[in-house]
Amino acid sequence: MDYLQGLNPEQRAAVEQINGPVMIVAGAGSGKTRVITFRVAHLINKGVDAFNILVLTFTNKAAREMRDRITKIVGPDAKNIWMGTFHSVFAKLLRIEADKIGYPSNFTIYDTDDSKSVLRAIIKEMNLDDKLYAVNLVLNRISAAKNNLVSWMEYQKNDQIQADDIATKRPMLGTIYQNYATRCYRAGAMDFDDLLYKTNELLKLHPEVLNKYQHKFKYLMVDEYQDTNFSQYLIVKKLAAVNENICVVGDDAQSIYAFRGANIQNILNFEKDYPDLKVFKLEQNYRSTQNIVNIANSIIANNKDQLKKRVFSEKEAGDKIKVMRAFSDNEEGKLVAEDIMQQRSTKGLNWHDFAILYRTNAQSRSMEEALRKLGIPYKIYGGLSFYQRKEIKDLIAYFRITFNPSDEEAIKRVINYPRRGIGDTTVDHIIVSADKNQVTPFEVIINASQYLDGRTAGKVSMFATMIQSFQVIVKNLSAYEAALHIAQHSGLLKDLYEDKSVEGLNRYENIQELLNGIKEFSEREDLEEKGLDVFMQDIALLTNDDNDKNKDADTVSLMTIHSSKGLEFPQVYVVGLEENLFPSQMSLNSRSDLEEERRLFYVATTRAESKLTISYATSRFKFGTLISCEPSRFLDEIDAQYLELDFTAKPASSNNPFFGDERTAWTSKNSSGNASGDTFSKPKAPPVKTTSILAKAHVPSAGFAPSDTTGLQVGMEVEHERFGYGKVLTLEGNKPDIKATIFFKEIGQKQLLLKFAKLRIVNN
């Protein structure tokens, strides 16, 4: 029970409340993961069988971290907990019960590329306009239907849905959905949405299965409950219906995935489902300084739909939040890059201590260019993952066919790779023959002589024989041995080895890295099942946090704010705080959309541990045209007392203090913000003359030009273009990284790196 001693009173109360419905509202940085893991450990220590506990997360990383922590407390019994992401847990359940809904237990899990490939083929076969029926649009439409548990039959019968499709001139969407569902079923494949959709179908159509798992999972815990969609909500509600020992953990202020179907009402209305609910609020932030927590509170206070809480920090007040203004997006990148360079030098930080967060991926360009010019190493998150590389997908396609020969997409991918003289025309003929005869493409392949001409049939038959030999081999070999055999005997490894180009070498090394990963998997002691099929399921269910193969590199992190959720960094830069960018133009049509954007800003600010910097540009290139930008309304909502306005650009005056003369100060709105008024238009309070930070801004002397500071000495008077006049107090360090401590008359003492400070020596 020693683990309970390190919890604060509210955390401990939440951990010890093990029976009945519980909601833990966990503010940013409040030790949420710790509470979940301790609560699960406490259940086991109180006599609950680990086999009767279900813990659902949104990332594999979170599940692994929790299981490791629980193991340290309760020992190997932690292995028996059903714990993982929604998709991985219910994929496991479906493997056991899939036959009841007509699927093989070794069904393939299609990734997004597989789904798009199927849809492209269907759209082509139906002779539809692939611009009007763009594959991304169609896939999103089908995904939304599945997340709302709308089958293709219900889709076609729903008058409102059909009216919407007709209005957008896409009346065939329902038929595409039908063909897609049929094609996936025939291939023995489920996409990611199906893993939840089919679980709901299973529990609805087979009450004996529902009853089985209701009594198995006597205790349920759900992490990040604010991110659940309707399909996830319904599964959890059904499973908890008998015992009602359900605990959900989340933060409505961090609900930012509506575009994926997440429904914030699930957490806001949780008490309606469970009137006897006990609520615990974790309000102490252990991550960020007081100033960062205070501005986050002032931001989220403007939202109307929320579970009220007041997050606080007992850490030091810390630096004020710096707001930087730039003339253009390129200058914004330059200011951020220079500030990172200076902060790293003056504070002895590593590159990986810094993160730049933006609303859209397109904003990375100006940041990348600026970082490259200063030689700052960086990594963009959310790029091409290891498992999405062509050569990796090719080898995995061979694995997929071996275990599920009905997998049409895998067959199409590798039947002629490496080249074996089977052209596209032959592949099309195989698919058409399969459709016509209501069999799988592989059945056509293994009976090639019945469907194809002699010479072509021979080549196809050789492919079939190879796959059938793989099916025999995998039964007697370890995952690594089986994978290596397939890589070698498919010809794939030889083909890549013979490509002596730089790209070919990289592809060959990537295959070796995959094989190394499979070997490591084969040797893991914590797994009971280590077959190649189990490895394939693991990688099919990877979430974004698992795809980065170089997490420990010393680089500045660049990512969208959505990608940053769950992460933390000592220093964070949130860039592009401009109207129609952040908040996005698409969010200005409704209060709920605007409030989600505000929650996104809240998430961005609470990623920072010790220092937060916000920036915006007064002009930005868009589609090749330079446009003027208005500062974000979110800047007006931040309490002014926590800000330090560091303006270098001086655009034309306006009645917005962030846009106009620095010598004009501003007053922030009260803490209630605009919650009771109109959130659709930007409020513009008139400027007020006062002695705030803005009043202290310095106007450089005429003809200001930085001096050569090689001979700078203690006691000299200098001028800085922003901080004004000051006196050098100390000089420390060696060239070229000499740091000067200067007392400025207008703002007080600052430490600057001389090579970036741009000082004018006033006198000796």
Side-chain angles (χ1 to χ4, degrees):
M1 302 291 282
D2 289 345
Y3 56 88
L4 296 176
Q5 304 306 314
L7 300 172
N8 68 37
E10 195 70 6
Q11 289 175 331
R12 179 161 182 163
V15 166
E16 293 184 314
Q17 182 61 50
I18 62 176
N19 292 313
V22 172
M23 179 166 68
I24 302 173
V25 182
S30 62
K32 169 177 68 72
T33 302
R34 192 181 192 202
V35 170
I36 295 172
T37 54
F38 284 8
R39 190 174 187 275
V40 175
H42 196 62
L43 283 170
I44 295 172
N45 283 338
K46 285 291 184 180
V48 176
D49 191 328
F51 283 101
N52 297 140
I53 300 173
L54 171 63
V55 182
L56 298 169
T57 69
F58 275 84
T59 68
N60 292 305
K61 177 183 175 183
R64 284 194 303 270
E65 182 180 347
M66 289 178 193
R67 194 184 296 275
D68 289 345
R69 292 191 192 185
I70 295 167
T71 301
K72 290 177 181 177
I73 299 173
V74 303
D77 208 20
K79 291 182 181 179
N80 301 324
I81 303 166
W82 274 53
M83 176 183 289
T85 64
F86 277 87
H87 292 91
S88 65
V89 165
F90 296 119
K92 178 180 177 180
L93 188 150
L94 286 169
R95 296 279 181 205
I96 299 170
E97 311 289 351
D99 63 301
K100 295 179 176 62
I101 53 174
Y103 276 82
S105 61
N106 61 347
F107 61 83
T108 296
I109 300 173
Y110 276 175
D111 65 14
T112 302
D113 286 346
D114 295 322
S115 296
K116 288 180 179 179
S117 178
V118 175
L119 287 170
R120 286 191 193 96
I122 291 170
I123 291 166
K124 182 179 179 181
E125 290 165 11
M126 293 175 65
N127 294 314
L128 298 174
D129 183 346
D130 60 4
K131 292 184 176 60
L132 184 61
Y133 290 91
V135 68
N136 285 337
L137 181 148
V138 175
L139 183 58
N140 288 340
R141 187 73 167 167
I142 293 173
S143 176
K146 288 182 179 179
N147 285 334
N148 286 287
L149 304 182
V150 176
S151 68
W152 65 262
M153 290 173 283
E154 292 167 323
Y155 189 102
Q156 293 179 358
K157 292 177 182 177
N158 187 292
D159 292 339
Q160 183 59 57
I161 291 176
Q162 293 305 303
D164 290 344
D165 287 351
I166 291 170
T168 58
K169 300 181 179 179
R170 298 183 182 91
M172 301 305 293
L173 280 172
T175 305
I176 295 174
Y177 184 7
Q178 177 183 355
N179 291 341
Y180 175 73
T182 303
R183 192 76 59 92
C184 289
Y185 181 77
R186 189 180 69 192
M190 297 187 194
D191 62 22
F192 255 49
D193 295 317
D194 281 328
L195 296 176
L196 301 179
Y197 178 85
K198 296 296 181 183
T199 299
N200 269 298
E201 181 180 290
L202 174 70
L203 299 180
K204 179 180 179 181
L205 298 178
H206 296 275
E208 76 284 1
V209 175
L210 173 60
N211 183 65
K212 171 183 173 181
Y213 289 100
Q214 283 176 331
H215 287 84
K216 174 178 176 56
F217 300 133
K218 296 178 181 178
Y219 290 84
L220 280 73
M221 286 195 70
V222 186
D223 189 18
E224 304 287 8
Y225 190 68
Q226 77 281 349
D227 293 333
T228 53
N229 60 29
F230 177 67
S231 182
Q232 291 162 328
Y233 161 80
L234 210 58
I235 293 172
V236 170
K237 187 177 180 183
K238 285 179 178 178
L239 291 177
V242 170
N243 297 294
E244 291 199 348
N245 291 323
I246 178 172
C247 173
V248 301
V249 186
D251 182 7
D252 58 294
Q254 298 185 66
S255 178
I256 59 173
Y257 294 120
F259 66 96
R260 294 183 189 169
N263 186 355
I264 191 175
Q265 298 303 321
N266 289 349
I267 192 168
L268 294 179
N269 297 329
F270 190 67
E271 191 168 4
K272 292 182 180 179
D273 288 333
Y274 302 96
D276 297 332
L277 180 70
K278 291 183 171 58
V279 179
F280 301 90
K281 295 183 179 180
L282 309 183
E283 297 175 305
Q284 182 171 354
N285 182 305
Y286 293 93
R287 174 191 302 155
S288 306
T289 61
Q290 292 180 39
N291 279 331
I292 293 171
V293 170
N294 287 338
I295 78 146
N297 284 336
S298 70
I299 291 163
I300 205 64
N302 291 274
N303 270 8
K304 181 178 180 180
D305 293 334
Q306 61 173 297
L307 299 170
K308 291 292 184 181
K309 60 182 176 299
R310 185 69 182 178
V311 179
F312 66 95
S313 172
E314 292 185 351
K315 297 181 73 173
E316 71 282 358
D319 293 341
K320 289 190 175 184
I321 285 67
K322 182 159 70 173
V323 180
M324 299 194 300
R325 181 181 64 198
F327 272 132
S328 65
D329 46 353
N330 285 336
E331 188 191 29
E332 182 184 35
K334 177 174 176 287
L335 291 175
V336 169
E338 288 179 348
D339 199 65
I340 289 174
M341 182 74 83
Q342 182 170 337
Q343 289 292 321
R344 178 176 181 268
S345 297
T346 57
K347 296 185 178 179
L349 300 171
N350 296 305
W351 295 122
H352 62 242
D353 293 325
F354 298 89
I356 302 173
L357 310 182
Y358 35 77
R359 180 63 182 83
T360 66
N361 280 306
Q363 291 171 257
S364 72
R365 179 198 59 80
S366 58
M367 297 296 143
E368 288 186 76
E369 290 181 4
L371 293 171
R372 281 200 300 267
K373 286 178 181 177
L374 291 182
I376 298 175
Y378 67 89
K379 174 178 176 56
I380 295 181
Y381 285 74
L384 186 67
S385 79
F386 179 79
Y387 291 103
Q388 291 299 314
R389 299 180 188 279
K390 178 186 180 301
E391 61 276 12
I392 302 299
K393 289 178 73 71
D394 289 340
L395 182 52
I396 289 174
Y398 275 109
F399 299 164
R400 282 166 47 175
I401 301 171
T402 300
F403 289 99
N404 178 16
S406 299
D407 189 337
E408 181 178 317
E409 288 306 303
I411 290 172
K412 286 159 59 177
R413 187 175 188 96
V414 296
I415 191 171
N416 195 40
Y417 178 72
R419 293 188 181 278
R420 47 180 63 93
I422 303 173
D424 291 344
T425 301
T426 300
V427 175
D428 289 343
H429 188 74
I430 290 170
I431 302 301
V432 170
S433 297
D435 283 341
K436 183 178 179 180
N437 293 280
Q438 293 297 297
V439 296
T440 67
F442 196 72
E443 289 178 86
V444 174
I445 290 170
I446 59 178
N447 298 291
S449 60
Q450 298 178 26
Y451 299 96
L452 303 169
D453 295 336
R455 186 178 177 186
T456 303
K459 294 175 181 178
V460 172
S461 293
M462 288 177 65
F463 175 75
T465 301
M466 178 182 68
I467 297 301
Q468 288 173 320
S469 73
F470 293 165
Q471 291 172 332
V472 174
I473 287 293
V474 297
K475 295 177 182 177
N476 303 310
L477 297 178
S478 70
Y480 172 71
E481 292 168 335
L484 182 61
H485 178 92
I486 293 171
Q488 291 173 334
H489 290 81
S490 65
L492 184 148
L493 207 57
K494 180 175 181 288
D495 185 71
L496 292 177
Y497 180 77
E498 291 177 348
D499 184 351
K500 300 302 181 182
S501 67
V502 174
E503 293 80 6
L505 178 62
N506 287 337
R507 287 193 286 268
Y508 181 78
E509 289 176 346
N510 284 337
I511 291 294
Q512 293 297 336
E513 179 63 23
L514 174 63
L515 293 172
N516 291 340
I518 297 174
K519 186 172 181 62
E520 183 180 343
F521 170 85
S522 299
E523 296 173 353
R524 282 177 57 180
E525 296 181 357
D526 61 326
L527 296 175
E528 294 180 8
E529 297 182 27
K530 304 178 185 179
L532 184 58
D533 55 336
V534 179
F535 175 82
M536 288 168 56
Q537 176 175 314
D538 282 356
I539 62 173
L541 294 167
L542 290 177
T543 51
N544 289 337
D545 65 294
D546 301 290
N547 287 328
D548 179 22
K549 289 296 193 183
N550 195 20
K551 294 180 180 177
D552 298 325
D554 190 20
T555 56
V556 174
S557 299
L558 275 68
M559 67 188 78
T560 64
I561 301 169
H562 282 100
S563 298
S564 74
K565 189 167 178 292
L567 303 177
E568 55 188 44
F569 302 89
Q571 298 212 15
V572 170
Y573 296 79
V574 185
V575 301
L577 262 292
E578 298 141 34
E579 284 292 291
N580 299 321
L581 179 58
F582 197 14
S584 72
Q585 189 170 12
M586 297 293 290
S587 72
L588 303 181
N589 297 320
S590 70
R591 181 186 298 278
S592 62
D593 289 344
L594 182 60
E595 291 200 351
E596 172 135 337
E597 287 288 294
R598 191 175 285 112
R599 293 194 295 270
L600 191 60
F601 187 32
Y602 175 88
V603 166
T605 60
T606 54
R607 299 311 92 199
E609 297 172 355
S610 58
K611 188 171 180 62
L612 172 65
T613 302
I614 298 170
S615 67
Y616 67 95
T618 59
S619 64
R620 187 176 293 273
F621 275 99
K622 189 173 184 180
F623 304 117
T625 303
L626 188 66
I627 61 170
S628 295
C629 303
E630 183 180 355
S632 170
R633 69 188 67 198
F634 295 155
L635 291 170
D636 284 337
E637 295 174 353
I638 302 174
D639 193 327
Q641 65 178 305
Y642 305 122
L643 297 181
E644 171 194 345
L645 305 182
D646 187 2
F647 291 169
T648 54
K650 299 176 180 61
S653 179
S654 86
N655 63 351
N656 186 306
F658 289 103
F659 218 167
D661 187 345
E662 294 104 312
R663 290 165 294 181
T664 302
W666 61 288
T667 55
S668 67
K669 300 208 307 284
N670 59 40
S671 60
S672 63
N674 200 31
S676 61
D678 177 14
T679 58
F680 312 137
S681 61
K682 178 173 171 58
K684 293 185 177 180
V688 178
K689 298 286 185 180
T690 183
T691 56
S692 73
I693 298 164
L694 286 169
K696 299 174 183 175
H698 173 69
V699 179
S701 57
F704 176 89
S707 303
D708 179 0
T709 56
T710 303
L712 189 68
Q713 297 179 15
V714 172
M716 286 185 176
E717 290 187 12
V718 295
E719 180 188 14
H720 187 278
E721 61 180 343
R722 283 171 284 167
F723 306 144
Y725 294 94
K727 188 173 184 177
V728 180
L729 301 180
T730 64
L731 294 168
E732 56 184 280
N734 300 312
K735 295 179 181 179
D737 297 318
I738 297 176
K739 290 180 281 188
T741 301
I742 304 171
F743 183 82
F744 292 99
K745 297 175 183 177
E746 296 174 329
I747 65 167
Q749 187 170 302
K750 272 190 171 291
Q751 191 175 59
L752 304 174
L753 192 65
L754 284 186
K755 63 182 178 182
F756 297 116
K758 297 181 180 179
L759 299 172
R760 182 178 76 86
I761 299 176
V762 178
N763 60 54
N764 295 333

